[in-house]
Amino acid sequence: MFNREFKLLMYVGVRGDAPGQFWLPTSVHVDDRDGIYVTDYMNSRLQIFQLLSDGLETEEPAAKH
């Protein structure tokens, strides 16, 4: 991930099951508030990232009831 000045802030996407890691990402969506949503089929999860001025913050999605 890069900021507007093209400075590398962080990278995500190596294989694994920790935050910021994926096994088989199948969809990516960016909303109008710079939220990034990534579905990961093999890890059976949705990871949510929030773009901040100094990088990304990982959020846990709300649990379904």
Side-chain angles (χ1 to χ4, degrees):
M1 304 298 290
F2 296 89
N3 68 10
R4 289 187 172 97
E5 290 78 36
F6 301 104
K7 175 185 173 192
L8 179 63
L9 301 175
M10 69 175 297
Y11 63 93
V12 295
V14 296
R15 179 179 264 184
D17 59 6
Q21 297 179 341
F22 308 100
W23 189 266
L24 183 60
T26 55
S27 181
V28 176
H29 174 77
V30 180
D31 67 19
D32 59 353
R33 294 181 295 190
D34 295 328
I36 303 168
Y37 302 80
V38 182
T39 58
D40 186 344
Y41 178 76
M42 293 301 288
N43 282 322
S44 300
R45 67 180 176 186
L46 168 69
Q47 287 196 71
I48 303 171
F49 302 93
Q50 183 62 49
L51 186 60
L52 304 173
S53 61
D54 60 346
L56 286 177
E57 175 181 82
T58 304
E59 301 176 15
E60 292 292 325
K64 285 186 170 183
H65 298 301

